[in-house]
Amino acid sequence: ACPCCDDVCEDPACAACAAKRRDRDPRKARFTLCEVRRHATAKSCWLVANGIVYDVTTFLPRHPAGTFSIVRHAGGRDCAEDLSFHSPKAQKLWAHHKLGRLVRCPSEGGARPSGLRTWLAPLLGGLTGT
């Protein structure tokens, strides 16, 4: 878990994360990349498009192109181009899955990385020039 934001681990015995869970405002509707990165599987799939976070987990089995076509974009990469590719009717479906806004984690500092740098920054420990 990130010590700088609301990101929590999955260990129920973790005291630091238990405190975060207890103090979390369920109406906050703001998520950091640290939190979004934990939802990059078919069991929990969050997408980001234009700074909005979506939980599309329940939609995965119904997507015409299959689960993998969505899961491969999960975890924080901005999917705005993918959203605009869809028909207006399909784009309206995204609204039903909206969780809230993407916000910067205090640990990120500087400008928000975009595209490939968004995905690489945590892996390279900031060596991507962000």
Side-chain angles (χ1 to χ4, degrees):
C2 177
C4 301
C5 69
D6 290 337
D7 182 38
V8 294
C9 69
E10 296 178 18
D11 181 2
C14 177
C17 291
K20 284 185 187 182
R21 283 186 194 97
R22 184 182 56 248
D23 297 339
R24 177 178 277 186
D25 180 355
R27 301 162 298 168
K28 76 170 186 147
R30 295 175 307 135
F31 303 91
T32 63
L33 280 176
C34 303
E35 294 172 280
V36 173
R37 282 187 207 106
R38 291 188 178 275
H39 302 275
T41 69
K43 291 184 180 193
S44 183
C45 186
W46 290 10
L47 299 176
V48 175
N50 297 314
I52 305 294
V53 179
Y54 300 89
D55 181 352
V56 297
T57 309
T58 59
F59 183 71
L60 293 176
R62 297 189 315 261
H63 190 267
T67 299
F68 180 72
S69 66
I70 296 178
V71 173
R72 68 188 177 113
H73 296 294
R77 182 180 150 256
D78 192 287
C79 299
E81 185 176 332
D82 298 294
L83 174 61
S84 66
F85 166 81
H86 289 84
S87 70
K89 181 180 178 182
Q91 289 181 34
K92 287 182 183 178
L93 290 175
W94 283 55
H96 299 289
H97 300 282
K98 180 180 175 181
L99 291 177
R101 298 208 47 80
L102 185 66
V103 296
R104 181 184 323 279
C105 171
S107 70
E108 289 179 352
R112 175 179 299 288
S114 62
L116 184 58
R117 291 188 311 154
T118 299
W119 184 79
L120 287 175
L123 300 176
L124 300 177
L127 296 177
T128 58
T130 59

